Amino acid sequence: MKTELKFYTIEEICKGFIYNELEGKGLFGLNGRLTIQPEYQRNYIYADGRKDVAVIDSILKGYPIGLIYFVKTPDSRLEILDGQQRITSIGRFVTRRFAIEINDRFQYLDSLPKDVAQNFLQTKLTFYECEGTETEIKEWFKTINIAGVPLNEQELLNAIYSGPFVTKAKEYFSNSRNAKIMIWSDFIVGKVNRQDYLKTALEWISFHQKITVEQYMGQHRNDDNIVELQGYFDEVINWIDSTFKKIIPELRGLEWGRIYETYHRNPYNVDESWNRIEELLDDDFVTNRKGIFEYVLGGEQDKTLLNIRIFDERTKKSVYKKQTDEAEKEHKSNCPLCALSDTTNKTKIWKISEMDADHVTAWSKGGSTDITNCQMLCKTHNRAKGNK
Ligand SMILES: [Zn+2]
């Protein structure tokens, strides 16, 4: 890959700057020769009144804003590889999209003193112009250290697999104007503009097809539609929506792709199950509330999903002491099950470290996790009882 160091003034860069308000991205600069947001770039996220202001502030104070990388395309045009956020901030300031506060007054570029505005426009920024194969450039883009907000994993994948498929997928899953986001956000956690919904959709379909997200994106890179991705995503969302009677916060961010694949073929009574879910949500011994849905979907088999509260150390010590004192008096084992056995352990006094706490009446049969329902068993007997 070839790289060349270049300097352009802000005025040159911002000549013909176009900002698309609807899509939230800067499009062109350098009098049309520069594409500010090529397909593999993420949306503009600096417009928060802090990061965009900080860029302008740095320039006015003469601080460096970091290197900006361009890619030279075969037809001698330029695309921004890294620096889109900074260039868009500068372009928006030059075209009066936002003002900055100086001496307690909000000022646009043209309300600044003439010499300050002129200095700003004549500031030379440093650029690297790179030329190379698509593979080289994308590989490099993956590894460069990006100032500001680092790209997350999905943004990197979008860059690496850029093409018609990613463009279409972003229009649907990464578009905050899509009214469906409201519904999706009942079950999915994340930010639309950081590609979290697209990431989820890709994770679900790749789980379904038993491949990785990267493989899926590679296979579909040149597709001109997202019918399959969208269809499967909608199917999972509809299933969640019709399986649970109410929308509650605990439903957000579960591994729905895996849960759907595992349980959607099972017969399921929506009303009864919801009653059971509400009971478990009220149960103080259930410490993992998010596991309740899968526990009920699976026919209440896997209690580890609920992370049932265990006995605390004080309770264990106190029960151990009581059992051991009694056992020593009666010359029998302090494990009640060993004491009943015909083995050499019949009279063995176990150390506390060799024993575990057990629910006399199991939690699933209504037994509580307090001292009245606690007994200490040797590890062997506790394990044997737990397996039943
Ligand atoms: Zn025992």
Side-chain angles (χ1 to χ4, degrees):
M1 196 173 65
K2 250 170 61 189
T3 58
E4 205 182 331
L5 205 55
K6 286 275 175 91
F7 303 94
Y8 295 103
T9 64
I10 287 180
E11 190 171 28
E12 287 170 314
I13 286 291
C14 291
K15 198 158 187 197
F17 173 82
I18 295 177
Y19 180 74
N20 183 326
E21 205 69 59
L22 201 71
E23 294 180 60
K25 57 187 187 183
L27 300 179
F28 301 107
L30 272 178
N31 220 357
R33 191 179 158 221
L34 171 70
T35 302
I36 293 177
Q37 191 178 51
E39 267 179 37
Y40 50 79
Q41 282 278 16
R42 57 181 161 179
N43 297 1
Y44 177 60
I45 52 180
Y46 269 24
D48 60 358
R50 280 195 6 251
K51 293 200 197 75
D52 46 3
V53 168
V55 171
I56 305 306
D57 225 31
S58 301
I59 297 171
L60 285 170
K61 288 180 177 146
Y63 302 153
I65 59 161
L67 285 178
I68 292 170
Y69 296 87
F70 290 161
V71 177
K72 214 172 188 168
T73 64
D75 56 355
S76 271
R77 294 179 42 80
L78 297 170
E79 291 183 348
I80 295 189
L81 184 64
D82 182 33
Q84 176 231 335
Q85 305 289 337
R86 285 165 283 165
I87 293 295
T88 305
S89 295
I90 294 168
R92 289 177 81 245
F93 182 65
V94 170
T95 54
R96 294 182 56 92
R97 305 282 169 146
F98 68 95
I100 58 161
E101 203 181 337
I102 298 173
N103 303 329
D104 293 330
R105 269 185 57 209
F106 279 96
Q107 311 222 19
Y108 289 97
L109 177 65
D110 52 11
S111 50
L112 291 174
K114 277 220 159 55
D115 58 317
V116 177
Q118 201 49 33
N119 276 340
F120 180 86
L121 288 170
Q122 294 314 313
T123 303
K124 278 192 170 154
L125 302 178
T126 316
F127 301 90
Y128 262 114
E129 285 186 10
C130 316
E131 245 182 304
T133 66
E134 201 184 339
T135 316
E136 283 173 339
I137 287 167
K138 287 187 174 171
E139 197 48 47
W140 185 60
F141 186 53
K142 201 176 168 178
T143 50
I144 47 175
N145 193 15
I146 291 155
V149 187
L151 293 186
N152 66 32
E153 197 187 340
Q154 188 58 49
E155 287 166 339
L156 278 173
L157 287 174
N158 288 355
I160 294 161
Y161 295 102
S162 74
F165 178 78
V166 164
T167 305
K168 281 253 158 60
K170 280 172 74 178
E171 274 168 23
Y172 189 66
F173 292 104
S174 313
N175 174 3
S176 51
R177 287 165 183 258
N178 183 346
K180 290 184 174 175
I181 303 269
M182 281 287 287
I183 301 168
W184 301 345
S185 66
D186 289 335
F187 312 123
I188 296 171
V189 183
K191 291 206 175 100
V192 176
N193 66 349
R194 298 304 307 271
Q195 312 301 325
D196 290 328
Y197 287 75
L198 175 57
K199 177 174 188 257
T200 303
L202 287 163
E203 280 169 359
W204 291 357
I205 190 119
S206 351
F207 184 86
H208 172 63
Q209 300 187 356
K210 300 186 172 68
I211 54 176
T212 65
V213 167
E214 275 197 278
Q215 283 170 328
Y216 189 86
M217 291 182 80
Q219 285 170 14
H220 294 272
R221 181 175 186 177
N222 295 313
D223 291 4
D224 61 358
N225 71 79
I226 55 161
V227 172
E228 181 189 72
L229 177 69
Q230 192 182 329
Y232 184 79
F233 181 82
D234 290 344
E235 189 181 313
V236 177
I237 291 285
N238 289 338
W239 175 80
I240 309 170
D241 203 26
S242 54
T243 299
F244 302 105
K245 267 175 82 176
K246 289 181 195 161
I247 305 294
I248 54 172
E250 283 84 356
L251 288 169
R252 293 185 76 213
L254 301 188
E255 290 175 56
W256 288 120
R258 181 184 58 74
I259 294 175
Y260 170 78
E261 285 296 325
T262 315
Y263 302 104
H264 81 277
R265 283 181 199 84
N266 300 356
Y268 182 80
N269 181 319
V270 173
D271 292 318
E272 266 178 29
S273 300
W274 188 258
N275 290 341
R276 189 64 187 121
I277 286 167
E278 289 196 321
E279 262 173 45
L280 290 166
L281 284 167
D282 275 344
D283 190 325
D284 289 342
F285 296 110
V286 174
T287 65
N288 179 29
R289 295 159 68 81
K290 282 184 169 281
I292 289 174
F293 311 96
E294 194 174 354
Y295 176 70
V296 172
L297 284 168
E300 308 205 10
Q301 298 298 307
D302 185 4
K303 264 190 292 175
T304 58
L305 288 166
L306 302 177
N307 197 12
I308 300 299
R309 197 165 72 207
I310 52 168
F311 295 105
D312 59 40
E313 288 308 310
R314 243 183 63 200
T315 302
K316 284 194 222 169
K317 271 188 195 145
S318 142
V319 171
Y320 174 83
K321 185 169 184 318
K322 184 164 166 278
Q323 274 179 219
T324 306
D325 287 350
E326 267 175 35
E328 277 170 348
K329 229 182 280 166
E330 296 170 27
H331 304 289
K332 61 177 190 183
S333 172
N334 58 350
C335 166
L337 296 183
C338 285
L340 293 175
S341 74
D342 267 331
T343 66
T344 48
N345 287 341
K346 201 175 161 66
T347 55
K348 177 159 178 140
I349 298 294
W350 300 93
K351 291 184 215 146
I352 190 162
S353 60
E354 295 167 330
M355 303 184 92
D356 279 323
D358 170 61
H359 287 81
V360 179
T361 305
W363 167 84
S364 55
K365 298 199 169 70
S368 63
T369 306
D370 59 37
I371 198 159
T372 61
N373 193 36
C374 178
Q375 67 178 345
M376 296 298 286
L377 296 180
C378 73
K379 284 191 191 287
T380 312
H381 276 122
N382 188 57
R383 221 170 289 134
K385 194 179 167 190
N387 287 342
K388 267 185 209 150

